[in-house]
Amino acid sequence: MMSEPAAAALLVCDADAVVEGGRGVRFAVSAFGDDGTGFVVRYGGKVYGYLNRCAHVPIELDWNQGEFFESSGLYLMCSTHGAIYVPQTGQCAGGPCKGGRLRPIAVHEEHDKIYWQPDEFVKAPPVSI
Ligand code: FES
C-alpha cells in the first residue's frame, strides 16, 4: 500500500512576530483527534514548535496567550503549576512535569514567514464553515 503524501506546510505567522526568548505565537491544530493549539517560540535565533499541552496535566501552557517563556527567557514554563521545559528539546527541566516532555511540531522559517508541518498525529484543524 502506498503511504499518504505528506501534508503541505501551513503558515503560522510573520517571522518577526516570534521574539527571541519572548512572545511566541499559537496556532490551531487537531491533536490526536481533538481540537488543540500548537505554538512556536524562538531561542538562540532558531524557531521551535510544540503542541501546547503540558506534560503534567494536559492543558495549555500559556495563561496569557503567547507567553511561554519564564522571566529569565531560558525556559518555557507552564503557567498552571510552573513546570519548566528546555526550549530546544521540550524536555522537562523542573517542576511537576518530571521526566516528561512537550510534543514537538516541526516548524521552519522561509522568506520571513514561519510554517508548521502537520504529521500523523498533529494535523491541520478542520476547516470551520
Ligand atoms: S499543568 Fe502544567 S505544570 Fe501542572
Side-chain angles (χ1 to χ4, degrees), residues 27-80:
F27 51 92
V29 301
S30 169
F32 306 93
D34 294 326
D35 289 348
T37 58
F39 67 94
V40 57
V41 289
R42 187 182 298 282
Y43 187 77
K46 286 188 62 176
V47 289
Y48 297 91
Y50 295 102
L51 186 62
N52 192 3
R53 189 175 285 184
C54 188
H56 175 221
V57 176
I59 56 175
E60 294 186 344
L61 301 171
D62 54 332
W63 187 268
N64 290 313
Q65 293 208 352
E67 288 179 15
F68 295 100
F69 279 98
E70 40 72 71
S71 55
S72 73
L74 296 177
Y75 294 101
L76 304 174
M77 189 174 80
C78 178
S79 52
T80 301

Side-chain angles (χ1 to χ4, degrees), residues 1 9 11 14 30-31 36-37 41 43 58 60 74-76 81 89 91 93 102-103 106 109 117-118 123 125 128-129:
M1 224 176 88
L11 179 66
D14 289 338
S30 169
T37 58
V41 289
Y43 187 77
E60 294 186 344
L74 296 177
Y75 294 101
L76 304 174
H81 313 110
T89 61
Q91 201 70 46
L102 300 175
R103 171 37 161 96
E109 278 183 278
Q117 178 64 54
K123 302 181 178 188
S128 50
I129 305 165

